[in-house]
Amino acid sequence: MDETAPPEAEKYIAPSMLLAFPGKEAVIQPARCYLAKEISTIGRAPQCDIVVDSKAVSRLHARIERNGPRYLLHDLHSANGTFVNGRRLREPHVLQDEDQIGLSQPAPLLVFVDADPTDFVTGQLRYDERAMLFSLDKKPLDLTPAQFRLLLHLYQQAGAVCTRESCAEALWGRDYDPGLDAEALDRAISNLRHKLREVKPDADMLKTVRGLGYVLDP
């Protein structure tokens, strides 16, 4: 199969692309795919836009939706899961430059390359992925490592509910234990809200969804 050709400049904003991870070119066709379509599919089936020659990969394993400058990766209820930077997807993921995608296992098969890796902006909250820094209203947020991990998790799922379990995993890298972790998680969320309000006193972007979890709505 020939590599997908880049689209004509007059018809498209320059699209981002997926590249086969170094050493995996033999099982990925094409080894370079421009994400010019609204939806690009990944899987073992020959009809997919990116075909992966592995029996562990589902026939229709994942898809990437293009929405303006954003690219959203969905796992399509695959048998063995989709992974980004070693972590299994539990919900759709907004791809960022140099994200590594694994199919059926954490080890990467694909790399996402942003055509224009500028600061990723959601409302007034900005994340500079190269510097790994957050800012609010153009003012830097002075976050502890734990606050950074929690805010990054919420930010990557902006507008969607993040469960207490997923927040605990982002904070501590382990399963949530309600008896052990409930108070500490409540405190972590409260401290993050306080940190946001230090920069912007009227900030009300981190909301609690009772019985479910939290939503970051910048």
Side-chain angles (χ1 to χ4, degrees):
M1 183 183 298
D2 295 336
E3 289 189 354
T4 305
E8 296 176 8
E10 66 271 20
K11 292 184 179 179
Y12 294 90
I13 299 171
S16 297
M17 70 177 84
L18 285 182
L19 299 178
F21 193 77
K24 300 296 184 181
E25 294 86 355
V27 297
I28 306 291
Q29 292 293 330
R32 175 183 300 180
C33 179
Y34 289 88
L35 301 172
K37 298 167 62 176
E38 289 188 8
I39 296 177
S40 299
T41 54
I42 306 170
R44 199 175 75 247
Q47 296 83 4
C48 290
D49 297 294
I50 299 171
V51 180
V52 183
D53 184 13
S54 170
K55 291 184 178 179
V57 172
S58 297
R59 290 182 60 79
L60 186 58
H61 195 104
R63 73 169 184 265
I64 295 176
E65 296 180 2
R66 185 183 186 191
N67 184 7
R70 294 186 180 185
Y71 294 81
L72 196 62
L73 174 64
H74 297 256
D75 179 77
L76 298 179
H77 305 290
S78 63
N80 297 310
T82 300
F83 299 79
V84 176
N85 302 327
R87 177 172 294 180
R88 186 166 183 164
L89 290 190
R90 305 295 181 186
E91 50 213 349
H93 172 81
V94 178
L95 288 165
Q96 299 185 44
D97 190 40
E98 299 183 0
D99 271 353
Q100 298 181 1
I101 300 170
L103 304 171
S104 78
Q105 58 182 340
L109 286 176
L110 297 161
V111 179
F112 176 75
V113 179
D114 195 332
D116 184 19
T118 54
D119 293 351
F120 192 96
V121 180
T122 306
Q124 296 169 325
L125 183 65
R126 179 187 296 263
Y127 178 54
D128 181 341
E129 61 186 321
R130 293 197 181 278
M132 297 181 67
L133 294 173
F134 280 100
S135 60
L136 181 59
D137 282 353
K138 299 183 180 180
K139 299 174 184 176
L141 289 171
D142 183 17
L143 302 171
T144 67
Q147 289 170 342
F148 174 82
R149 292 193 299 271
L150 179 57
L151 183 56
L152 182 62
H153 172 64
L154 293 161
Y155 183 82
Q156 289 176 333
Q157 314 302 333
V161 175
C162 292
T163 64
R164 289 176 69 86
E165 290 79 7
S166 70
C167 290
E169 183 180 355
L171 274 168
W172 303 305
R174 57 172 172 79
D175 292 341
Y176 177 60
D177 181 339
L180 180 65
D181 299 329
E183 184 176 343
L185 181 56
D186 290 340
R187 187 165 56 249
I189 292 290
S190 177
N191 289 343
L192 182 55
R193 285 194 178 109
H194 179 72
K195 185 67 69 173
L196 294 170
R197 287 170 180 159
E198 283 182 354
V199 174
K200 186 178 180 184
D202 62 345
D204 187 28
M205 60 184 65
L206 180 50
K207 304 179 187 300
T208 299
V209 182
R210 293 195 179 279
L212 294 176
Y214 308 96
V215 174
L216 184 69
D217 187 16

